[in-house]
Amino acid sequence: MGRRMTRPSDPTPAAPTPSDRTPAAPMANAPSGAQPADLPRAPRPAATPGRTLHMIGNAHLDPVWLWPWQEGYQEARATFWSAIHRMDEYPDFVFTCDQVVLLSWVEESDPELFARIQEKVAEGRWVMTGGWWVEPDCNMPSGESFVRQGLYGQRYLKEKFGVTASVGMNVDPFGHNAMLPAILRGQGMDSYCFLRPGPHESELPGTMFWWEAPDGNRVLAYRIPFEYCSPPGEVAGQTEKALGQLDRSLGDLMIFYGVGNHGGGPTKANIESIHRYDRMGTFGELTMSSPRRYFDEMAKRLGEQGLADLPVWRDDLQHHAAGCYSAHSGVKAWQRRAQAAVLSAERWAAIAGHDARADLERAWKQVLFNQFHDVLPGSAIEPAYDDARDQLGEAVAISKRIITRAHNVIARDVRVPEETGTQPVIVFNPHPWPVTTRVEMQYGLAPNGVHVVDADGADVPCQRTQSVATTDDKGRGATVFQAELPPLGYRLYRLRQGPGMHAAGTLSASELHLENDVLRLELDPATGWLTSLLDKRTGVDLVAGAAGEHTQICADPTDTWGHRVVSYDWPGEAMATTGIVLRESGPLRARIRVERAWGRSTMTEEFTLGAGDDDAVEVRVTLDWRERAHLMKLRFPVALESPAATYEIPFAHLGRPIDGAEEPAQSWVDLSGAVDGARAGLAVVNNAKHGYDVAPPSAGRDHSIGITAVRSPVYAWHDPRLLDPDGHYSYQDQGTQRFTYLLVPHAGDWRAAGLTRRAAVLGSPVRAMLESFHDGPLPPARGYLDDGGGQVMVTAVKLHEDAPRDLVVRAVESTGRAAAATLDIPLAGVRITADFGPSQIRTFRIPLDDPHSAVETDLLELGSRRGAFTVESW
């Protein structure tokens, strides 16, 4: 796959000066290559290669993988004691540590060890890198999750050790999204160490290069050669293999050593062999070092011009273990749900004025821990997912308590005049832009059904739908109604008994078609898939004549990780259509249910279209999967000419080749091109999946978007281990799962389709709650923060970590084009106007007691940043 690599034509900024980052403490006065006190240092031979190898002692510890987290908890303590003992024995030994959760475990379980670590940090021999709570999967979490990895990690380091990490480090994750340089810079880190993709997996320009995010931020990146850990014996083999992969033009290099994965760290044999080979001059000068020292010395040696001449990589860092983006559907859905819940809880706590920081921190840390790169990717042992489910469930439960409290505190102050025979309902919108959506509501004590009115008594489009309860209670039922909600706010509605008005606009339906003012879709009775998706706004039919099956099932012999997989676009069989039923044909929405089966598995897809100008088809999927070592793609064939593919990544998007490669992404993929010369496009938005492809035409098939809906490998099976044909194994994703996707046609520019906002609403629905009658100072509808619904999207609204009377608002430019934005913040009584560069992230700190003194802050909420914006009264 081609990648974008250039050398900068404009001056490249030099690495930050020491004043811009946490300074490294002196190395205990030990000279480079110092030996134990009882071993006099001999001069190296004259034939010694003229280079310095910075030997990075570390102990990568997977807190969960082939063992449960409880075992990782113990091993953190054992590993860190080992590192302390090596420091006591070898005065020049330096230990590099990342993954802050491990330090937090030691703090609570072994205060003596924690105090020793604090001493060694002060000496400069225990070096903090990474700055994140764990080494997470670096593709699937949301942008806000990556912010919180550093927020909680770096602030912990600052509080407990008086330092923050200035070098990012994710040695084991399987790929790295392209916005990480922007996030790292916003968290005080100017450089980055990683291992994957390896030289055989990508065309990276060398061992060290500038990595530039879509917003223009850069970090100095270093690809670790060969491995981040080593055997417990001498380091000759590790060093030789590393030198075989390194870019020799750099001269001085980093080599990582120390027993890892299950922890352990550098051994006596490791350290003594470093001393021995340093005296022998075998590989050059070998010095105990740290990533910070290496980057600083390279910056000094190369100078400003030398740094500027390093190549620049403007893309993500892929590909490795492509199957991880679809392994274990459950943990990916749980993560999506938990991230949305905690972000919503932050917002409502801020609006209600509740200092829920301690509860939110506990919830966030459960979310962040389970983003670890062997949990979220699905590559851990089966029992690990019982813990992940429970921990993520705890985060959701904490969030729901915060949200419910805040909603009730707000609702009690809304004036709700008494009206006999009605039931007040308040609908809350967690998104900082206006949202119009269909709300499903259960009710009781209305045997003749209900209709919905707004606070002024005007009819609201609604229709009866199936209740979630199946009882003999004649008064129970359910309605779906259309709510028009203010941004990050609420609106009051009422349920009145009896039938109500019809929705405005056309809506017609049969078993094989749905049509409103904007869209018309038709289904093939044989395949159950679309034969037509007409966008009336453009006159373009996006699928008419497009060849290809919607479902694609095939045997999957690959391991849990999907090692060496470049694509899952393999020939396969389609699920047979077993039934098509028109489930709803009401005035507000219509719904067709398509039933399919293959082997022992079944799937239903319910296609829903709303009345009037509803411009997306919602499809709710229920998949009961009973296959082993198989996978299924959902494919979306399109009749587009010369299309381009765009994928959502955290805080941004990337264009990628149309080659069928399995790619990680957030919530949407778009394919835009032309039909008979008219610009057109189709986006697929979903709330649970992360493995995608966009495939070129092939025999009997046109261009198509693919979502890997399910894989069922053996748990924690790592190639090259072969499965015993007579063995008994547990396979992933057996049973029922549910998810939803949207089909979004547009006129050829995905930016105008609001895909990221649609994904946010799909993943974090509005909430309706029954209310009572009472007086109150609040109006029937109110919004607390509005980003305007344009290019610049607010992604976080929360209370400041150190000041619960300060509001933090973060926004990002979401289309890759510069924009001016106005953020209306009635909650603080101000309006902020600011310019945003392409994909730029900006965070504002607004004191509620003096909102006109608002400042821009960093992603850690620890300082202020330069940046022009205006604040005026709202």
Side-chain angles (χ1 to χ4, degrees):
M1 175 182 297
R3 294 297 188 190
R4 296 183 293 278
M5 183 188 74
T6 62
R7 291 188 180 273
S9 57
D10 53 348
T12 302
T17 62
S19 62
D20 292 327
R21 58 167 92 97
T22 303
M27 304 288 287
N29 298 317
S32 177
Q35 309 299 317
D38 60 346
L39 189 64
R41 176 173 174 171
R44 300 180 193 89
T48 298
R51 62 178 170 229
T52 299
L53 301 186
H54 292 249
M55 305 302 291
I56 310 300
N58 75 107
H60 179 67
L61 173 56
D62 292 331
V64 185
W65 181 28
L66 306 180
W67 44 86
W69 72 265
Q70 295 91 337
E71 189 171 324
Y73 189 105
Q74 181 278 330
E75 183 56 36
R77 179 168 48 84
T79 295
F80 287 175
W81 265 123
S82 177
I84 291 294
H85 292 154
R86 300 295 83 77
M87 288 182 178
D88 291 342
E89 295 159 352
Y90 301 96
D92 64 332
F93 173 60
V94 178
F95 183 68
T96 292
C97 176
D98 75 337
Q99 298 201 106
V100 176
V101 69
L102 306 178
L103 295 162
S104 75
W105 286 349
V106 167
E107 180 188 20
E108 65 187 17
S109 65
D110 195 335
E112 179 187 358
L113 172 58
F114 195 73
R116 293 295 309 278
I117 293 172
Q118 289 175 315
E119 292 173 4
K120 298 304 181 184
V121 171
E123 292 175 9
R125 298 177 60 201
W126 187 295
V127 179
M128 299 300 185
T129 58
W132 285 3
W133 198 244
V134 297
E135 287 191 14
D137 176 87
C138 290
N139 282 303
M140 290 183 281
S142 68
E144 283 298 328
S145 286
F146 288 109
V147 171
R148 298 318 195 282
Q149 287 284 353
L151 179 76
Y152 290 113
Q154 291 278 53
R155 292 177 71 91
Y156 182 92
L157 295 179
K158 184 74 171 177
E159 176 187 354
K160 305 298 181 180
F161 303 99
V163 302
T164 55
S166 59
V167 177
M169 192 161 94
N170 283 301
V171 301
D172 204 16
F174 312 137
H176 311 259
N177 79 79
M179 275 297 282
L180 286 188
I183 295 167
L184 292 165
R185 280 291 194 175
Q187 295 170 339
M189 291 177 271
D190 63 289
S191 41
Y192 190 60
C193 297
F194 69 99
L195 176 72
R196 300 185 180 94
H200 60 293
E201 295 170 320
S202 73
E203 301 172 359
L204 295 179
T207 300
M208 190 165 74
F209 54 91
W210 288 106
W211 186 22
E212 183 175 301
D215 74 338
N217 270 296
R218 291 179 178 180
V219 293
L220 201 54
Y222 185 94
R223 177 162 61 184
I224 298 168
F226 181 56
E227 269 290 356
Y228 50 78
C229 57
S230 69
E234 66 168 39
V235 300
Q238 180 83 356
T239 304
E240 288 167 351
K241 290 178 180 179
L243 287 171
Q245 292 188 6
L246 286 165
D247 175 5
R248 301 297 186 88
S249 66
L250 285 174
D252 298 347
L253 305 161
M254 273 193 288
I255 295 176
F256 285 63
Y257 73 96
V259 179
N261 289 339
H262 196 270
T267 65
K268 292 182 180 181
N270 287 161
I271 295 169
E272 289 175 359
S273 71
I274 291 172
H275 292 154
R276 182 169 65 254
Y277 288 116
D278 178 53
R279 290 196 307 276
M280 293 169 61
T282 307
F283 304 110
E285 177 185 352
L286 273 61
T287 182
M288 304 288 191
S289 190
S290 69
R292 178 72 275 153
R293 178 183 164 196
Y294 173 78
F295 283 118
D296 286 347
E297 291 191 4
M298 286 299 291
K300 183 184 298 184
R301 184 169 69 79
L302 292 174
E304 184 175 344
Q305 187 58 50
L307 283 173
D309 288 340
L310 289 174
V312 180
W313 186 260
R314 295 181 175 93
D315 210 330
D316 54 6
L317 301 174
Q318 313 294 358
H319 297 85
H320 181 86
C324 282
Y325 305 116
S326 49
H328 204 294
S329 297
V331 74
K332 293 167 173 59
W334 305 335
Q335 260 290 342
R336 289 272 195 106
R337 182 169 175 245
Q339 290 175 87
V342 184
L343 285 169
S344 181
E346 282 183 341
R347 296 172 184 184
W348 292 115
I351 290 168
H354 295 161
D355 185 1
R357 289 175 296 168
D359 286 339
L360 287 166
E361 179 175 346
R362 185 162 62 253
W364 265 119
K365 286 179 177 177
Q366 295 288 43
V367 172
L368 301 177
F369 180 77
N370 285 287
Q371 292 169 353
F372 179 71
H373 61 260
D374 277 312
V375 177
L376 182 53
S379 48
I381 56 174
E382 186 174 11
Y385 293 99
D386 293 335
D387 288 330
R389 177 200 61 216
D390 295 345
Q391 291 164 349
L392 292 168
E394 180 187 11
V396 173
I398 290 170
S399 301
K400 284 187 172 182
R401 285 194 293 270
I402 293 170
I403 292 167
T404 300
R405 177 191 176 195
H407 284 179
N408 277 269
V409 166
I410 294 168
R412 76 183 180 195
D413 284 339
V414 175
R415 190 173 74 87
V416 185
E418 184 171 357
E419 182 180 325
T420 303
T422 69
Q423 172 62 62
V425 175
I426 298 181
V427 185
F428 293 88
N429 171 23
H431 304 288
W433 58 87
V435 168
T436 298
T437 187
R438 294 184 294 271
V439 176
E440 295 183 14
M441 189 78 197
Q442 307 292 310
Y443 61 82
L445 303 177
N448 297 318
V450 301
H451 64 281
V452 182
V453 298
D454 64 17
D456 296 325
D459 281 335
V460 172
C462 64
Q463 72 182 54
R464 192 163 189 165
T465 192
Q466 183 174 336
S467 172
V468 296
T470 306
T471 70
D472 290 332
D473 184 351
K474 303 300 185 189
R476 292 209 62 80
T479 186
V480 56
F481 65 95
Q482 184 159 299
E484 296 183 358
L485 305 173
L488 191 53
Y490 65 86
R491 185 177 296 279
L492 172 66
Y493 294 92
R494 293 178 187 270
L495 306 183
R496 287 180 176 170
Q497 297 195 35
M501 68 166 284
H502 286 189
T506 61
L507 180 62
S508 65
S510 70
E511 285 190 353
L512 297 177
H513 97 282
L514 300 173
E515 183 174 5
N516 65 10
D517 293 347
V518 176
L519 301 178
R520 177 183 173 86
L521 67 90
E522 297 178 1
L523 298 177
D524 183 331
T527 66
W529 185 240
L530 302 179
T531 59
S532 174
L533 180 58
L534 175 65
D535 186 342
K536 298 180 182 180
R537 297 166 298 185
T538 62
V540 170
D541 194 323
L542 285 155
V543 304
E549 296 285 354
H550 174 50
T551 54
Q552 183 179 346
I553 299 174
C554 57
D556 176 14
T558 63
D559 68 3
T560 316
W561 285 256
H563 282 120
R564 301 175 185 85
V565 169
V566 296
S567 173
Y568 283 119
D569 181 25
W570 299 339
E573 298 180 24
M575 270 189 155
T577 301
T578 58
I580 300 178
V581 178
L582 179 63
R583 284 203 61 194
E584 287 186 328
S585 183
L588 179 59
R589 73 179 183 188
R591 181 162 46 143
I592 299 173
R593 176 185 177 92
V594 177
E595 300 172 346
R596 295 185 174 88
W598 190 92
R600 298 172 59 239
S601 302
T602 62
M603 183 176 74
T604 63
E605 290 184 298
E606 297 202 337
F607 295 78
T608 302
L609 186 65
D613 60 357
D614 186 10
D615 61 351
V617 182
E618 178 187 285
V619 185
R620 298 183 185 180
V621 182
T622 301
L623 174 62
D624 187 1
W625 186 251
R626 303 290 173 177
E627 314 307 324
R628 296 178 173 182
H630 279 69
L631 68 83
M632 180 173 72
K633 281 274 188 184
L634 294 183
R635 302 216 70 88
F636 305 90
V638 294
L640 291 169
E641 306 153 4
S642 304
T646 306
Y647 296 70
E648 184 193 22
I649 66 170
F651 284 142
H653 63 276
L654 278 183
R656 287 173 172 151
I658 298 175
D659 58 6
E662 189 76 356
E663 300 280 7
Q666 295 278 292
S667 299
W668 58 263
V669 175
D670 179 75
L671 197 55
S672 294
V675 177
D676 295 330
R679 293 291 301 167
L682 177 70
V684 182
V685 182
N686 87 92
N687 66 348
K689 303 299 176 181
H690 288 283
Y692 305 89
D693 68 50
V694 178
S698 60
R701 192 183 72 186
D702 287 299
H703 286 100
S704 63
I705 296 170
I707 296 178
T708 307
V710 63
R711 290 181 65 229
S712 47
V714 170
Y715 275 94
W717 168 39
H718 197 302
D719 179 52
R721 168 69 185 275
L722 297 178
L723 297 176
D724 182 348
D726 298 321
H728 298 279
Y729 301 101
S730 185
Y731 292 80
Q732 292 188 354
D733 278 7
Q734 302 299 293
T736 301
Q737 58 170 287
R738 294 178 174 85
F739 59 96
T740 301
Y741 64 85
L742 305 177
L743 301 176
V744 185
H746 56 80
D749 184 355
W750 60 264
R751 294 171 177 83
L755 301 178
T756 302
R757 294 182 189 272
R758 290 179 193 264
V761 176
L762 184 65
S764 186
V766 304
R767 176 177 181 261
M769 63 174 278
L770 302 178
E771 187 48 40
S772 57
F773 305 117
H774 46 70
D775 198 5
L778 294 181
R782 184 176 184 184
Y784 293 92
L785 195 151
D786 187 358
D787 66 14
Q791 290 176 236
V792 174
M793 177 176 169
V794 166
T795 59
V797 180
K798 63 187 291 291
L799 297 179
H800 191 277
E801 292 297 309
D802 299 324
R805 288 293 300 163
D806 285 13
L807 187 68
V808 172
V809 177
R810 182 160 34 256
V812 61
E813 195 289 312
S814 63
T815 70
R817 296 172 176 172
T822 297
L823 309 179
D824 288 335
I825 312 175
L827 178 61
V830 293
R831 171 179 290 133
I832 289 179
T833 302
D835 291 329
F836 284 73
S839 303
Q840 184 180 6
I841 305 164
R842 300 188 69 175
T843 307
F844 304 97
R845 177 177 180 176
I846 308 164
L848 294 175
D849 296 326
D850 183 15
H852 287 273
S853 64
V855 297
E856 187 169 2
T857 187
D858 58 25
L859 296 181
L860 304 180
E861 303 174 20
L862 285 175
S864 59
R865 306 178 71 180
R866 293 190 194 138
F869 64 95
T870 62
V871 183
E872 57 184 331
S873 296
W874 182 79

